[in-house]
Amino acid sequence: MEKNILIVEDKKVHIDALNKIISELDHKARIYCAINEQEAYTAAMKHHIHLFIIDIILDTSRPGDVAGLRFVQEMREVKKYAFTPVIFITSLEDPKLYSYSQLHCFEYIEKPFSIKQVRECIQKALEFPVILDRERFVYFRKDGIVYSKHLGDIIYIENKRRKILIHCRNDELEIPYKTCEQILSELDSPLFVRCSRFTIINRDYIEHIDYANRYIKLENMESLVEIGVMYRNRFKNVMQHGTDN
């Protein structure tokens, strides 16, 4: 599986060195770089990151800056990044106690670092097992009972007569009404794309898309799923470029 790696570092020389190490270890890895919290947050929300490499100090002009720690603390509040490996690279004397115990840091490397040390650390982190989205469970509650579904088993979800109908490979589940925004937030997975005001599909099940006539053919489903007029361009951008911008 190709892995996405986010480097958050304000020094170009260090970014270039880390890029070179990662590319040599895994030429298929997709590397994203950010020099501040804002850029890092945007990258983490746009892409599914499998490894963070973070400098704790991102603005040396600000006394006491620990923006890197603050960023990771924020990421730990995002469900999909609760246990994503984080390597801290910094010149601070001893942030270890906090970074290890509170932020579940994978490794800590002090500056000035050796290429050999960083290489070995990143190699270990790249071997860290990844739980694929389609293998994760999502939970739905109905009449006081909690139902679990593998994300990979959900074909599409539709808002139908103020009820939510979840179409799965082997069955269907009807749950009380939620907005599509709420459902997407709970799914928290790039597998799912909204194609209309009332419908969310799992892109793994797409057999064919007809943008001209605005419909989608999904595996295991006889009926076609409509692409909303107001969602056609947005849906097309997401499918072709991974973004609705």
Side-chain angles (χ1 to χ4, degrees), residues 44-60:
M45 293 301 102
K46 184 175 180 180
H47 310 284
H48 192 115
I49 304 301
H50 302 105
L51 170 63
F52 292 97
I53 302 177
I54 311 287
D55 188 351
I56 290 177
I57 301 173
L58 296 176
D59 187 354
T60 54

Side-chain angles (χ1 to χ4, degrees), residues 2-234:
E2 293 183 0
K3 292 194 175 182
N4 297 332
I5 301 171
L6 177 59
I7 300 170
V8 187
E9 165 66 66
D10 64 329
K11 299 289 193 300
K12 187 178 184 302
V13 62
H14 293 145
I15 289 176
D16 291 344
L18 292 168
N19 257 299
K20 185 174 186 296
I21 293 170
I22 295 168
S23 297
E24 290 173 350
L25 289 171
D26 184 355
H27 69 278
K28 292 184 178 180
R30 290 185 290 260
I31 305 169
Y32 303 96
C33 302
I35 62 172
N36 55 48
E37 277 182 278
Q38 292 73 28
E39 289 185 4
Y41 182 83
T42 298
M45 293 301 102
K46 184 175 180 180
H47 310 284
H48 192 115
I49 304 301
H50 302 105
L51 170 63
F52 292 97
I53 302 177
I54 311 287
D55 188 351
I56 290 177
I57 301 173
L58 296 176
D59 187 354
T60 54
S61 67
R62 295 173 55 189
D65 176 63
V66 287
L69 280 177
R70 191 165 57 242
F71 169 71
V72 174
Q73 185 176 38
E74 187 174 359
M75 288 299 98
R76 289 307 190 210
E77 298 299 317
V78 178
K79 189 190 313 182
K80 65 182 176 182
Y81 293 136
F83 300 104
T84 301
V86 175
I87 297 174
F88 281 118
I89 300 179
T90 185
S91 56
L92 286 181
E93 291 183 5
D94 190 19
K96 292 183 183 180
L97 180 61
Y98 178 77
S99 61
Y100 274 116
S101 63
Q102 300 299 320
L103 299 180
H104 311 293
C105 171
F106 181 81
E107 189 60 87
Y108 172 90
I109 297 175
E110 296 182 24
K111 290 181 179 179
F113 55 78
S114 72
I115 298 299
K116 181 176 182 294
Q117 180 188 18
V118 174
R119 185 183 180 87
E120 290 175 353
C121 179
I122 293 176
Q123 178 69 68
K124 286 192 297 182
L126 289 174
E127 294 170 358
F128 197 82
V130 175
I131 299 177
L132 299 177
D133 268 358
R134 54 188 58 86
E135 296 173 357
R136 282 199 294 113
F137 280 101
V138 62
Y139 301 94
F140 302 100
R141 185 174 177 178
K142 178 185 180 183
D143 300 329
I145 301 173
V146 176
Y147 297 86
S148 63
K149 296 290 182 183
H150 271 117
L151 289 183
D153 288 337
I154 299 173
I155 300 174
Y156 77 102
I157 301 171
E158 61 177 332
N159 179 342
K160 198 170 186 178
R161 293 188 292 274
R162 299 294 292 180
K163 295 285 186 179
I164 298 300
L165 192 58
I166 302 168
H167 301 269
C168 302
R169 284 197 293 188
N170 301 314
D171 60 6
E172 292 182 351
L173 175 64
E174 185 181 278
I175 62 172
Y177 174 78
K178 293 182 179 182
T179 65
C180 284
E181 288 81 2
Q182 289 173 320
I183 293 171
L184 284 170
S185 177
E186 292 178 9
L187 295 171
D188 191 23
S189 168
L191 289 175
F192 294 91
V193 184
R194 190 172 180 179
C195 62
S196 74
R197 182 180 175 187
F198 303 109
T199 311
I200 298 166
I201 65 165
N202 184 337
R203 65 173 73 200
D204 274 358
Y205 287 92
I206 295 175
E207 281 189 355
H208 175 69
I209 303 174
D210 186 330
Y211 291 111
N213 295 301
R214 295 191 296 105
Y215 72 78
I216 304 164
K217 175 67 175 72
L218 297 172
E219 293 178 22
N220 302 328
M221 303 301 300
E222 292 183 5
S223 58
L224 302 175
V225 175
E226 182 183 8
I227 301 173
V229 175
M230 302 299 293
Y231 286 80
R232 179 167 52 184
N233 290 338
R234 183 187 306 177

